[in-house]
Amino acid sequence: MEFVADVGTLDPELLQLPDVSSFAVKSNPYIADELFAQWLSLPDTGRLIKSLLDDAKAGVAFNVGGNSNSTSGSSSSPLPSMFPTGGTPPLSPRSSSGSPRTVKRAGIGPSSLGSPLKLVSEPVKEVIPQFYFQNGRPPPNELKQQCVSRIDQLFYGHADGLQIQEFKSVTKEICKLPSFFSSALFRRIDADCTGVVTRDAFVDYWVNSNMMTMDMATQIYKILKQLDCKYLVQEDFKPVLRELLATHPGLEFLQSTPEFQERYAETVIYRIFYYVNRSGSGHLTLRELKRGNLIAAMQHADEEEDINKVLRYFSYEHFYVIYCKFWELDTDHDFLIDKENLIRYGNHALTYRIVDRIFSQVPRKFTCTVDGKMGYEDFVYFMLSEEDKSSEPSLEYWFKCIDLDGNGVLTPNEMQFFYEEQLHRMECMAQEPVLFEDILCQMIDMIGPERESHLTLHDLKGSKLSGNVFNILFNLNKFMAFETRDPFLIRQEREDPTLTEWDRALLNSIQRSFDACLKLGTGSKMGLATTSNPIAYRLLSLWKAKCTFSMPIFCCARYWQLYLLERAVFWKASTGRKGERCSGVLLRNSYLRTPVYS
């Protein structure tokens, strides 16, 4: 009866009964029970089982390859009459996993005494190679030997180790990292602050800990982050940017202005976290670092001598425009901006309602602790969102502003609330007003949402014209520029798709500022408005020598004009030169590299 208890685990297909339908056995499991019970009741089965038990008690080994000594065994191995002649005997009952249901006994093997039980071998265990390594995959021996050999060459003659100024070659040639990571890597290895890194210490950190086999994003992440953290914060990037400012040829002119260096480093860090830290938590994870383009931008900055060609994050021109915009709005120069200051942004381009939403900290909580004030970091996030509404961080920023009830959709009522002020401003400027119903149809056609009753963030991210929707709702200047856009500019944008809206906005701002600087001297008799005038270039050169950290060049036209006139009189009295010519490009570069004037 003990055998019958195991019948419930039988797989009907293992019976291999040609005359019985497999479907019938599966649909009626009791058939298998009946067949097994009938097989046990046959006389031959009883004799077979008794013979096997006697052999087991006597300690006789089972004969697997031949016939048994039992009287019931023969070469013909007659089967019970329930199986057809010449048919295949059924297999022994097995579990669904495929392993044979057998009782293992020491020194006993299966018998071939005419038993319908088929011998099934033990399943072979598949050995799965290790695929996860907590500290990274170990390097191949050949690669490891090559790396150690190169390390020996660089450390040759430095038995006491390398100092920090000698470590840059190791960073570039062995680690293949940007050169401005040299100090950060040096201090990471020199944990005891001895001032030197020995050959053994470097091999232990870079080779033995498998750092050499990791991708560059992981290497930079491990070098910069604090040991007890699983993310990067803004402070972790400051050592790298300090070395970039000290060593990059494109930033060499800032070495005499440490305050301006600090602002440049802060702006670069804010831009990095704006684009790469997509969660907005201020904690930059390894996953976010790998998904962003920061590593490629760092490599570009290390290879490019002109820092302004590195448009992602590191451009000095971009920083200069951001900082000067902030300084221009900050009239009392307390490094804080209130609502009345921000409403003047872009020549009063924004509406009061959108400014109120920004200062309610709905799109992003301010880092400034002063109530009703916006700090420099908050302004950088705002300006990046305002000038490039095609980026995902910008779309999320303005979507939260327009979504008054925070339900994740923009309804016509919410959009009309912001457009009402735009409509009133157009009427005050004697512009032909455009009714909201017409504007709503235009926005729906531009976005093409899944449902025309509302807009979602997913709809906006799927359209290239999403930024125009926000300009229509709260930026009158950009709205009017879009309505009267020049076809030539549209063709120009298509010819250079590598430039983002942010890049184009910064280029236009730089050019406007430069032109305004030149035109400030038009009223004087010196004729400072032309780029070919040598006095203009000389004045900018003299002005550069007086730079401090106080005032950008185009923040206060009156002070700048008075200074130009003062220097013009000095130049005329001291030299009297005429007719010298200088390149407009040279003048522009001199202007852009001039930090501030007090």
Side-chain angles (χ1 to χ4, degrees):
M1 301 307 292
E2 187 176 357
F3 289 97
V4 179
D6 279 346
V7 175
T9 62
L10 282 174
D11 186 351
E13 292 188 356
L14 295 178
L15 293 174
Q16 297 182 359
L17 302 178
D19 296 338
V20 181
S21 172
S22 175
F23 175 77
V25 176
K26 289 184 178 180
S27 59
N28 301 285
Y30 66 88
I31 294 180
D33 300 352
E34 293 295 334
L35 290 174
F36 187 60
Q38 183 179 356
W39 178 77
L40 290 175
S41 63
L42 295 176
D44 291 342
T45 304
R47 287 192 296 271
L48 174 63
I49 294 175
K50 184 177 182 301
S51 173
L52 292 174
L53 291 175
D54 292 341
D55 290 346
K57 292 178 182 179
V60 178
F62 288 170
N63 185 6
V64 179
N67 296 333
S68 173
N69 295 331
S70 172
T71 58
S72 60
S74 64
S75 61
S76 61
S77 298
L79 297 175
S81 59
M82 63 176 289
F83 301 109
T85 305
T88 305
L91 299 175
S92 62
R94 294 195 301 175
S95 65
S96 59
S97 63
S99 59
R101 182 173 294 275
T102 58
V103 181
K104 295 182 179 180
R105 301 180 180 88
I108 300 178
S111 174
S112 61
L113 299 177
S115 171
L117 301 179
K118 207 170 188 179
L119 177 65
V120 180
S121 60
E122 288 288 337
V124 179
K125 294 183 179 179
E126 182 181 359
V127 180
I128 301 177
Q130 183 178 353
F131 58 88
Y132 172 74
F133 302 88
Q134 185 175 2
N135 297 322
R137 182 180 295 274
N141 291 331
E142 183 179 356
L143 178 63
K144 186 176 180 179
Q145 292 175 0
Q146 292 177 358
C147 183
V148 172
S149 176
R150 183 58 181 153
I151 292 172
D152 292 338
Q153 294 178 8
L154 292 178
F155 277 85
Y156 180 77
H158 300 276
D160 297 333
L162 296 176
Q163 297 182 357
I164 190 169
Q165 61 270 18
E166 304 169 329
F167 196 70
K168 183 173 293 187
S169 59
V170 177
T171 305
K172 286 283 292 181
E173 298 182 24
I174 302 296
C175 305
K176 307 298 182 182
L177 294 174
S179 59
F180 48 88
F181 274 84
S182 178
S183 298
L185 178 60
F186 183 92
R187 292 186 175 92
R188 174 65 67 186
I189 300 175
D190 185 24
D192 298 332
C193 300
T194 60
V196 294
V197 169
T198 63
R199 179 258 184 202
D200 294 339
F202 179 77
V203 170
D204 185 62
Y205 178 81
W206 191 255
V207 179
N208 297 339
S209 63
N210 303 332
M211 280 282 289
M212 60 180 296
T213 58
M214 299 177 184
D215 57 275
M216 185 175 293
T218 306
Q219 292 172 351
I220 290 176
Y221 174 79
K222 287 183 172 293
I223 292 172
L224 295 183
K225 79 177 186 70
Q226 302 299 320
L227 295 177
D228 56 344
C229 294
K230 296 183 179 180
Y231 50 81
L232 295 173
V233 295
Q234 293 184 6
E235 288 291 329
D236 296 332
F237 287 91
K238 288 187 177 180
V240 175
L241 288 170
R242 279 197 295 266
E243 185 169 0
L244 176 68
L245 284 162
T247 59
H248 199 284
L251 298 170
E252 187 178 356
F253 64 95
L254 283 178
Q255 292 182 1
S256 60
T257 55
E259 300 89 349
F260 225 66
Q261 288 183 342
E262 182 180 353
R263 296 303 175 200
Y264 171 82
E266 289 178 356
T267 306
V268 171
I269 292 174
Y270 297 155
R271 294 181 66 185
I272 289 173
F273 274 78
Y274 175 83
Y275 286 107
V276 183
N277 182 215
R278 300 297 294 112
S279 64
S281 62
H283 296 164
L284 187 60
T285 63
L286 176 59
R287 178 183 177 86
E288 291 174 330
L289 187 62
K290 288 183 175 181
R291 296 180 65 180
N293 58 357
L294 177 59
I295 305 302
M298 287 180 170
Q299 292 177 307
H300 187 194
D302 189 45
E303 298 168 358
E304 179 61 58
E305 292 187 0
D306 187 357
I307 196 67
N308 292 321
K309 292 184 179 180
V310 188
L311 300 180
R312 302 285 80 81
Y313 312 112
F314 296 99
S315 171
Y316 174 79
E317 292 180 351
H318 291 192
F319 149 72
Y320 192 81
V321 172
I322 294 173
Y323 179 69
C324 289
K325 291 277 189 183
F326 179 81
W327 187 270
E328 183 180 3
L329 297 177
D330 182 20
T331 53
D332 55 0
H333 304 308
D334 60 349
F335 228 66
L336 297 174
I337 289 179
D338 57 17
K339 291 183 181 180
E340 294 301 322
N341 297 140
L342 190 63
I343 202 67
R344 296 188 294 108
Y345 180 85
N347 194 19
H348 297 267
L350 303 176
T351 63
Y352 282 93
R353 291 181 178 180
I354 198 65
V355 170
D356 289 338
R357 289 290 287 175
I358 293 172
F359 274 84
S360 65
Q361 304 184 34
V362 171
R364 179 181 181 271
K365 186 174 179 59
F366 289 171
T367 57
C368 177
T369 57
V370 181
D371 188 28
K373 297 286 186 176
M374 170 191 285
Y376 180 61
E377 179 180 354
D378 307 316
F379 178 79
V380 171
Y381 273 72
F382 157 76
M383 187 171 175
L384 291 174
S385 301
E386 167 59 24
E387 297 300 339
D388 184 10
K389 294 187 178 73
S390 63
S391 64
E392 288 195 4
S394 175
L395 293 176
E396 294 171 3
Y397 186 95
W398 296 119
F399 185 90
K400 294 176 183 178
C401 287
I402 306 300
D403 186 14
L404 296 175
D405 53 6
N407 63 347
V409 297
L410 303 183
T411 62
N413 290 336
E414 291 172 328
M415 291 185 281
Q416 186 176 11
F417 172 78
F418 289 94
Y419 185 73
E420 286 175 351
E421 189 173 350
Q422 290 279 75
L423 188 61
H424 174 70
R425 297 176 73 189
M426 283 189 285
E427 293 174 350
C428 294
M429 296 174 62
Q431 297 283 343
E432 181 181 358
V434 184
L435 299 179
F436 176 74
E437 290 74 14
D438 299 332
I439 283 294
L440 181 61
C441 292
Q442 183 180 359
M443 291 189 296
I444 295 298
D445 292 340
M446 285 191 299
I447 302 302
E450 295 181 358
R451 296 184 180 180
E452 295 187 357
S453 59
H454 59 260
L455 298 178
T456 65
L457 184 59
H458 181 266
D459 296 331
L460 294 173
K461 289 183 177 180
S463 173
K464 294 182 179 180
L465 300 176
S466 300
N468 297 317
V469 171
F470 295 119
N471 290 332
I472 290 172
L473 296 178
F474 55 77
N475 191 314
L476 183 59
N477 293 348
K478 291 186 177 181
F479 173 37
M480 300 305 297
F482 174 72
E483 290 294 318
T484 60
R485 59 193 181 278
D486 186 359
F488 174 76
L489 295 178
I490 298 176
R491 185 173 72 251
Q492 189 178 20
E493 292 178 1
R494 292 174 179 173
E495 290 176 354
D496 192 2
T498 59
L499 293 179
T500 64
E501 287 188 17
W502 167 256
D503 300 328
R504 295 189 182 97
L506 267 290
L507 287 175
N508 294 334
S509 180
I510 291 170
Q511 189 62 47
R512 286 196 304 268
S513 302
F514 176 65
D515 294 339
C517 176
L518 292 176
K519 291 177 182 178
L520 285 175
T522 305
S524 69
K525 297 181 180 180
M526 302 303 298
L528 299 177
T530 60
T531 57
S532 61
N533 195 316
I535 299 179
Y537 175 69
R538 175 60 178 168
L539 289 180
L540 288 175
S541 301
L542 292 174
W543 174 82
K544 180 178 178 180
K546 293 187 61 175
C547 295
T548 62
F549 184 60
S550 302
M551 184 184 301
I553 183 173
F554 52 85
C555 285
C556 183
R558 178 170 299 178
Y559 283 108
W560 171 239
Q561 188 173 20
L562 290 175
Y563 177 71
L564 284 179
L565 293 175
E566 173 192 348
R567 300 313 303 173
V569 173
F570 169 78
W571 175 253
K572 182 178 181 181
S574 61
T575 62
R577 294 186 183 179
K578 296 180 181 179
E580 287 186 357
R581 302 182 59 85
C582 69
S583 170
V585 176
L586 184 60
L587 175 58
R588 176 178 174 272
N589 290 340
S590 175
Y591 159 68
L592 289 174
R593 294 195 175 192
T594 306
V596 284
Y597 164 66
S598 59

